[in-house]
Amino acid sequence: MKTKVVLTFSPEASNQPITHNLIAKHHLLVNILRAEIDEVGGKMVLELSGKADDIRGGIDYLKANGVGVRPIKEGVRRDDEACTHCGMCVSICPTKALTMDLKTGKVSFNEDKCVACGVCIDACPPRAMEILI
Amino acid sequence: MTASEFKEYVKTNGVKKAAREVDVVTTGTFGAMCSSGAYINFGHADPPIKMQKIWLDGVPAQAGLAAVDGYIGATALDETNNMMHGGAHVIEDLVRGKAVRLRATGYGTDCYPRKEIDTYVSLRTVNQAVLMNVRNAYQNYAVATNSSAKTLYTYMGKLLPEFGNATFSSAGELSPLMNDPYYRTIGIGTRIFLGGTQGYVMWEGTQFNPGAPRTPNGVPKRPAGTLAVIGDLKQMNPEFLKGLTFTRYGSSLGIGIGVPIPILDEDMARCCAVTNNDILAAVFDYSQPTRSRPVLREVSYAELRSGDIDIKGKQVPTSPLSSMYKARQVSEVLKSWILKGEFTIQEPVQSFPKDRPLKTLDVRTEREAT
Ligand code: SF4
Ligand code: SF4
């Protein structure tokens, strides 16, 4: 099973090897989708994969160590009304989550391929791509 | 027929038959067109004001046209340079029927005693609101890429480092002036599709450069012709008019333009049969901050449209900046108007000049400029 979570830290919590512990002690695969950490703490978006029990255990471990945990269903969303299908995003998305149908010129967004890297957000001229953290 | 349908038709039936059977081809483009704006007459207040400075939702508009006429440019920004809400976004808000805040100041005259006003206006409350764009629908443009080590934010979009991507901004074979390369049917007075309603070509566009290098079939390989266009903002449709933001560059207006091209003869049919294979553009390295950047290579729109191009041995993914999807929509809507008899073809009242050298701005003395 896979789940995406947003973590919020205090500075103390960011000094702990939490990703290491999630991997080593809770047998999870951890994919860091986004991280913004500075002296006052930070935010991290992780994709955790593993057994349901392990994921639950990992999340409990995080909470016990003062890390705020909020699950997200999707990290990035497209406002289909606002998208003009200009195609700016297709050459910069590293995972090819955004692709253009060469026949119709329509750009489609495949959420499953998106790793919420955020590269497309400030590149989209009508600001149709939104990151939800 | 739309331009795409026409190209297919010529492939199977040949130019001769196409010239005989087809009357009009509809072209279309939808892209960021920075040199756009709208003039608005707000009506007179009581007591009246001669507006010297004007802001619409905080974005400055040009005054200096009598008392209550203003012009808001698409790339105008407020004093905080908020690119998320520039002149283009104000124009879109108006088209969406929203009320926008109008603030104006004046110095007060005997006939216009009022010195300031703070109110709301919408397309319903103003007299004229007219989209008047001085340079749109570029006949061909450049391809932008970036050889440097850092991401560049340009009017050609986000350019990733080390030739990470390349962007281009013309609708290629669908683009109006690509189908009439020598401006035989497009001139002053041509009726067009503009932002979802009918508008007109009012002049050659600024930086009109018919002398740009061309391929043997007449298609320019560099930025060449442009159009200055005009139309009633009150009739426009937000589907075809959109405020855009290019990060760290500013705001711009995305607008749909379509031009009908009458197939006068076989020559015109040949011009409209042009395909992306025949249209070339030059690739420039935008990390060079000079006016004359070196050309890295020439590339066809067919290659650009395929999703990646070769630059110095590297496969570089490409992005169009003009929407192929919306360009198609424009050409289809225009076609349907013509078929329903709602739109009639207007012959230009005057043709564009054939030669018009493109000038640059240099620092000169008064004598050098005279
Ligand atoms: S950059 Fe934005 S508007 Fe353009 S295709 Fe991508 S999501 Fe749509
Ligand atoms: S956030 Fe990153 S991975 Fe997701 S669509 Fe945008 S560029 Fe692609």
Side-chain angles (χ1 to χ4, degrees), chain A residues 78 82-90 98 107 120 123-129:
Chain A
R78 184 173 75 170
C83 173
T84 62
H85 303 277
C86 70
M88 177 63 235
C89 53
V90 302
L98 289 150
V107 174
C120 59
C124 170
R127 292 297 189 264
M129 301 302 296

Side-chain angles (χ1 to χ4, degrees), chain B residues 85-107:
Chain B
H85 196 77
H89 299 90
V90 174
I91 296 172
E92 181 188 338
D93 284 347
L94 284 168
V95 169
R96 288 191 179 279
K98 292 190 187 156
V100 306
R101 184 171 172 199
L102 165 69
R103 275 193 311 124
T105 56
Y107 47 86

Side-chain angles (χ1 to χ4, degrees), chain A residues 34 75-76 89 92-98 109-111 113-121 129-131:
Chain A
R34 204 178 160 83
V76 169
C89 53
I92 58 168
C93 172
T95 63
K96 301 241 177 302
L98 289 150
F109 175 45
N110 181 343
E111 287 166 31
K113 284 193 177 172
C114 174
V115 294
C117 70
V119 172
C120 59
I121 307 294
M129 301 302 296
E130 279 178 285
I131 194 151

Side-chain angles (χ1 to χ4, degrees), chain B residues 26-156:
Chain B
T26 59
T27 61
T29 183
F30 180 97
M33 309 211 190
C34 295
S35 223
S36 302
Y39 69 80
I40 301 173
N41 178 286
F42 301 109
H44 285 285
D46 190 13
I49 177 171
K50 179 165 181 271
M51 298 177 177
Q52 191 183 18
K53 285 191 172 157
I54 304 172
W55 296 266
L56 287 167
D57 272 347
V59 179
Q62 185 63 42
L65 300 147
V68 293
D69 289 318
Y71 183 85
I72 178 145
T75 62
L77 299 177
D78 68 14
E79 51 283 8
T80 69
N81 286 341
N82 174 11
M83 296 171 183
M84 300 299 284
H85 196 77
H89 299 90
V90 174
I91 296 172
E92 181 188 338
D93 284 347
L94 284 168
V95 169
R96 288 191 179 279
K98 292 190 187 156
V100 306
R101 184 171 172 199
L102 165 69
R103 275 193 311 124
T105 56
Y107 47 86
T109 70
D110 288 347
C111 42
Y112 293 105
R114 188 181 198 124
K115 290 194 174 152
E116 57 188 338
I117 190 163
D118 191 342
T119 180
Y120 282 88
V121 295
S122 69
L123 288 187
R124 188 178 57 76
T125 72
V126 302
N127 290 315
Q128 285 70 26
V130 179
L131 192 74
M132 185 176 80
N133 305 343
V134 299
R135 184 175 65 259
N136 282 177
Y138 242 120
Q139 183 182 23
N140 212 343
Y141 205 71
V143 183
T145 188
N146 170 18
S147 70
S148 79
K150 63 176 208 303
T151 297
L152 296 180
Y153 289 89
T154 71
Y155 64 84
M156 292 291 283

